[in-house]
Amino acid sequence: MKSEGSSGGCSASAISVSGLGKRYQLGTSPQQGYQRLSESLLQWVRNPVKALSGSRSEAEDFWALQDVSFEVKQGDSVGIVGRNGAGKSTLLKILSRITEPTTGRLVLRGRVASLLEVGTGFHPELTGRENIYLNGALLGMQRSEIRSKFDEIVAFAEVDKFLDTPVKRYSSGMYVRLAFAIAAHVQPDVLIVDEVLAVGDAVFQQKCLGRMSELSKRQHTTVLFVSHQMEALLRLCQRGILLHQGRVVAEGTMEAVSREYHRAFASGRTSADCRTMQRAAFLRGQAVIDEVELEANGAGVPFAQRLIFRVYISRRGEASQIHLCWAIFSAGGHEVASSRVALPDQSRGGRFSVPHLRLAPGRYSVNFGIKSERGDEDLVEHALMFDVMANETSAEVWADSIRASTIPETELLEVLPA
């Protein structure tokens, strides 16, 4: 690992990574010849036969990162995405000089500030005031520099009432506010931020994103940002890197990497055969739902794009003036939108669209039902599941301002004949 001074030019490379790899050992290595008494006793209790034989489990190599290479220009904002266990946090720890790589070469230019875990660099027994000086010193600030930035840090963190309180009494949100305020006012050449910002509330997250954007655009600070909130990444980052099983599998614009992430890892159910699904006893069953389908590609539905459903039904008796009903639920089980559309008599279903539904990016499920003038004919719960994908439009609107209508417009596009 190598660190160099700031080059001063905006087009110079701030981070250069070549063939980076990090290996960990799982299990017990046969080469470990010394064990404490407590470890030997615990091993005997767990497996006395194995302990008496003296055999030990073989160590297994686990590569958290393999052959990772990329380059980040000074002043760029780069989002790093991937599923849990993809190697994102390991990469940031190497870039933050917390751990050494097993293989490869890393060059960092300038002062690096990182925010990886709640409370990192804080002493729980010290007050907020004392920890500002301690954490600032760990990030390379001189005492005079910390003193000149002190009021700005406190104002940003909004912890002025608790400055002389030991931080062990702080909430996780207060920890993060203070830690980010210090890191963001170091005036670093490289700012590295992990998912830790998710601990803060929506207002604070907006404030942090604004500060990171200001650092990138006005002070040419290089920002590396790991988050599962794709709207935040699209709003802040121009470029993206997708990691999977410790390797870089996609790199490019943030929007292109976002699409690739959804395409590769989408696990929704956009079509279903409902004939074998269980039904409630109170349903009349004179008209039932056979199949349902959401017209979408493998990656899901982009934000603000209309939803188009196909529903096939069977009629088993007299059920006139029927309505096809639907309801969309969030991942937390809350109904966010519902409506109905009338189907002509004798039809076998319909293809209909919901053109003006602006669902926040995330996972949703859909219930379908049939109502007639005599009552509830059929109901299929959670028949479909789909993802709404973040894009540049959703990043501009921001998730907290997106609300679905309770009864949105539903347009019947096509009647499926009998």
Side-chain angles (χ1 to χ4, degrees), residues 128-165:
R129 184 188 305 274
E130 293 165 334
N131 271 291
I132 290 175
Y133 283 94
L134 172 63
N135 200 247
L138 291 174
L139 293 174
M141 298 175 73
Q142 300 294 324
R143 187 172 182 84
S144 58
E145 187 180 359
I146 300 172
R147 191 180 298 114
S148 67
K149 298 282 186 181
F150 188 87
D151 291 340
E152 293 179 43
I153 292 171
V154 173
F156 190 96
E158 300 175 2
V159 294
D160 50 309
K161 294 181 180 179
F162 309 97
L163 266 182
D164 296 309
T165 301

Side-chain angles (χ1 to χ4, degrees), residues 52-331:
L52 290 172
S53 68
S55 62
R56 298 185 184 178
S57 60
E58 293 290 330
E60 178 185 351
D61 287 343
F62 169 73
W63 286 88
L65 294 173
Q66 292 189 75
D67 196 26
V68 172
S69 299
F70 61 87
E71 190 169 316
V72 180
K73 299 294 184 183
Q74 185 176 343
D76 281 358
S77 295
V78 179
I80 301 176
V81 296
R83 303 179 75 176
N84 291 335
K88 305 185 299 296
S89 295
T90 300
L91 175 60
L92 295 195
K93 286 178 181 178
I94 293 174
L95 294 175
S96 302
R97 306 186 185 99
I98 293 174
T99 186
E100 292 285 334
T102 306
T103 61
R105 184 171 182 267
L106 165 65
V107 177
L108 288 167
R109 294 180 174 86
R111 177 189 282 178
V112 178
S114 59
L115 185 60
L116 303 184
E117 295 179 7
V118 175
T120 301
F122 280 18
H123 193 295
E125 299 295 336
L126 299 180
T127 66
R129 184 188 305 274
E130 293 165 334
N131 271 291
I132 290 175
Y133 283 94
L134 172 63
N135 200 247
L138 291 174
L139 293 174
M141 298 175 73
Q142 300 294 324
R143 187 172 182 84
S144 58
E145 187 180 359
I146 300 172
R147 191 180 298 114
S148 67
K149 298 282 186 181
F150 188 87
D151 291 340
E152 293 179 43
I153 292 171
V154 173
F156 190 96
E158 300 175 2
V159 294
D160 50 309
K161 294 181 180 179
F162 309 97
L163 266 182
D164 296 309
T165 301
V167 297
K168 67 181 180 181
R169 298 176 186 166
Y170 283 17
S171 67
S172 57
M174 292 168 65
Y175 253 113
V176 171
R177 290 206 304 272
L178 186 57
F180 182 87
I182 297 169
H185 287 83
V186 172
Q187 291 186 329
D189 297 293
V190 178
L191 177 63
I192 300 172
V193 182
D194 204 346
E195 187 67 39
V196 67
L197 287 186
V199 176
D201 57 33
V203 174
F204 178 70
Q205 289 179 29
Q206 293 262 31
K207 191 175 182 180
C208 291
L209 289 173
R211 177 60 178 170
M212 287 191 285
S213 179
E214 179 185 351
L215 287 171
S216 176
K217 293 177 180 177
R218 296 186 181 180
Q219 301 182 23
H220 305 298
T221 297
T222 304
V223 177
L224 264 65
F225 186 24
V226 165
S227 178
H228 291 286
Q229 299 180 21
M230 205 62 71
E231 305 92 344
L233 292 167
L234 287 162
R235 181 181 174 186
L236 175 68
C237 303
Q238 300 85 33
R239 293 182 54 231
I241 296 172
L242 174 59
L243 291 177
H244 180 56
Q245 295 182 348
R247 296 180 181 272
V248 175
V249 295
E251 185 177 1
T253 66
M254 193 65 245
E255 187 166 12
V257 169
S258 172
R259 288 196 301 269
E260 180 63 21
Y261 173 78
H262 283 286
R263 188 201 65 77
F265 304 122
S267 57
R269 184 174 66 242
T270 55
S271 64
D273 186 340
C274 305
R275 287 168 288 198
T276 59
M277 295 183 179
Q278 292 186 343
R279 307 297 209 270
F282 68 85
L283 297 169
R284 298 184 71 250
Q286 298 301 298
V288 296
I289 297 170
D290 291 337
E291 297 178 55
V292 292
E293 178 185 355
L294 169 65
E295 295 184 7
N297 59 37
V301 179
F303 171 78
Q305 178 176 300
R306 67 175 180 167
L307 302 177
I308 300 179
F309 297 101
R310 286 180 181 267
V311 180
Y312 298 87
I313 68 173
S314 292
R315 295 173 181 267
R316 299 176 179 175
E318 294 184 3
S320 59
Q321 298 182 12
I322 67 172
H323 286 81
L324 186 60
C325 308
W326 59 268
I328 296 177
F329 294 82
S330 68

Side-chain angles (χ1 to χ4, degrees), residues 25-32 35 43 47 50 53-60:
Q25 282 194 335
L26 307 179
T28 305
S29 172
Q31 283 75 30
Q32 291 178 331
Q35 277 188 311
Q43 181 180 340
N47 197 333
K50 186 175 180 181
S53 68
S55 62
R56 298 185 184 178
S57 60
E58 293 290 330
E60 178 185 351

